[in-house]
Amino acid sequence: MTREEALERLKFLYDQVHQRAERQEHLQARLPLDIEPQSLNYDEDLERFRGEYNRLVQAARAAGILSAADLEQRGLPDRMES
């Protein structure tokens, strides 16, 4: 994986986490009364995307293809917290 590929994937994952979190915030108001938001797996999706993001950052940094400055330049965090 190249530096650019890693940054593109990280940006995608970062965007997915924020989009899902935003949807989850507003979900309750749009759901029928008998459906719980947890049944739609938003929590699992968020954890999966965060985990993949963190693993990719760690692997790319260990391989020397990504630095903290690269992440900062793109507005991406070093780590996504749960």
Side-chain angles (χ1 to χ4, degrees):
M1 178 176 281
T2 67
R3 177 183 162 277
E4 200 56 40
E5 289 170 337
L7 287 168
E8 285 177 24
R9 182 68 181 161
L10 289 170
K11 177 67 172 141
F12 169 79
L13 292 168
Y14 180 81
D15 290 343
Q16 289 298 307
V17 166
H18 286 281
Q19 288 172 11
R20 291 223 191 299
E22 187 176 310
R23 281 188 212 133
Q24 189 175 23
E25 272 182 35
H26 303 289
L27 192 60
Q28 190 65 44
R30 294 188 308 225
L31 286 176
L33 295 176
D34 59 339
I35 296 179
E36 292 295 321
Q38 295 82 5
S39 68
L40 300 175
N41 299 324
Y42 278 91
D43 291 336
E44 291 173 19
D45 288 346
L46 285 170
E47 285 306 309
R48 183 171 46 85
F49 286 130
R50 287 178 181 138
E52 184 179 343
Y53 182 95
N54 292 335
R55 284 189 299 277
L56 181 55
V57 167
Q58 186 178 19
R61 291 184 83 181
I65 61 171
L66 196 62
S67 69
D70 293 328
L71 293 170
E72 186 177 329
Q73 184 180 13
R74 297 284 177 107
L76 299 170
D78 282 331
R79 179 167 181 74
M80 295 196 83
E81 299 299 326
S82 299

